[in-house]
Amino acid sequence: MNDQTQTVRALVSEAEWEQRVNLAACYRLVAQFGWTDLIFTHISARVPGPEHHFLINPYGMLFDEITASSLVKVGLDGRKVMESPYDINPAGFTIHSAIHAARDDANCVLHVHSVNGIAVSAQRDGLLPLSQHSIYVLPSLAYHDYEGIALNVDEKPRLVRDLGDCRFLMLRNHGLLTVGSSVAEAFVDWLRLAVSRPAAGTEASSAPR
């Protein structure tokens, strides 16, 4: 282990360290699947315990560079609650803090800008029931209209309202999001969502005749 890893691990509980390892692994998997948008999307995970603290990626780091010790621990006000040399992306904080604050079951929020996800989010009808995987997703899929880059805290209540108690959220003209009780659940649900979407322009050939 390097010095940073040893320092962070010594300062956090075993439960938090396990969550850090799981979240860092999720970032690496998302990078491996090619779902990243360079440094501009986020996966967050609640830190076990009574405080509403959560872990999020350091701004400026590629997903395949993220480690358990580099994740930034913040509160719902966006302030770091543990010393870190890294900053966070305010747009990522707006979306993730809104969901973590409103949903006790939101132990992980996974939001990415995959190419196919953005293509489907830009289509009027959104996700269509064209596959077994999409049928799994549709009963718990919600939609949120685009309001620009997510820097306005006034958007939070509308985001929470539109998500409701669903596990999948399509941010129109923007991307896709899943909410899980664990990092693993959020990732598996995103994988199901990813494979439920045909590539842009394939709906007609995929539709039943």
Side-chain angles (χ1 to χ4, degrees), residues 15 22 27 49 57 61 66 69 79 92 95 114 139 142 145-146 159 175 183 191 196:
N22 290 339
Y27 274 104
N57 50 318
M61 230 181 238
I66 292 171
S69 55
R79 296 182 181 179
I95 293 173
S114 67
D145 287 338
Y146 187 64
L159 182 72
V183 174
L191 183 61
S196 71

Side-chain angles (χ1 to χ4, degrees), residues 22-45:
N22 290 339
L23 183 56
C26 188
Y27 274 104
R28 299 296 184 100
L29 283 169
V30 168
Q32 184 173 329
F33 276 92
W35 296 334
T36 65
D37 182 12
L38 297 177
I39 62 172
F40 298 109
T41 55
H42 313 275
I43 314 166
S44 61

Side-chain angles (χ1 to χ4, degrees), residues 56-70:
I56 197 164
N57 50 318
Y59 192 38
M61 230 181 238
L62 296 173
F63 279 23
D64 61 2
E65 298 175 318
I66 292 171
T67 63
S69 55
S70 67

Side-chain angles (χ1 to χ4, degrees), residues 90-193:
F93 170 76
T94 300
I95 293 173
H96 289 252
S97 63
I99 297 172
H100 282 294
R103 294 272 299 264
D104 288 338
D105 63 328
N107 288 320
C108 182
V109 178
L110 196 164
H111 167 49
V112 296
H113 302 160
S114 67
V115 174
N116 286 353
I118 294 172
V120 175
S121 76
Q123 296 177 27
R124 181 189 61 192
D125 295 328
L127 183 66
L128 299 175
L130 299 176
S131 70
Q132 176 173 288
H133 287 87
S134 65
I135 292 170
Y136 172 86
V137 168
L138 284 168
S140 193
L141 175 64
Y143 291 83
H144 176 67
D145 287 338
Y146 187 64
E147 298 188 25
I149 297 175
L151 293 171
N152 187 353
V153 295
D154 291 342
E155 185 178 356
K156 286 185 176 185
R158 294 184 292 277
L159 182 72
V160 168
R161 176 202 64 202
D162 292 342
L163 175 62
D165 61 357
C166 292
R167 301 203 327 269
F168 306 92
L169 181 67
M170 185 166 288
L171 299 155
R172 290 194 182 275
N173 308 97
H174 181 174
L176 307 173
L177 180 150
T178 58
V179 175
S181 61
S182 67
V183 174
E185 182 177 83
F187 175 79
V188 170
D189 274 351
W190 214 98
L191 183 61
R192 288 171 173 150
L193 184 57

Side-chain angles (χ1 to χ4, degrees), residues 74-88:
V74 297
L76 291 176
D77 59 0
R79 296 182 181 179
K80 290 185 276 189
V81 296
M82 180 177 171
E83 186 177 349
S84 171
Y86 308 111
D87 293 320
I88 65 169

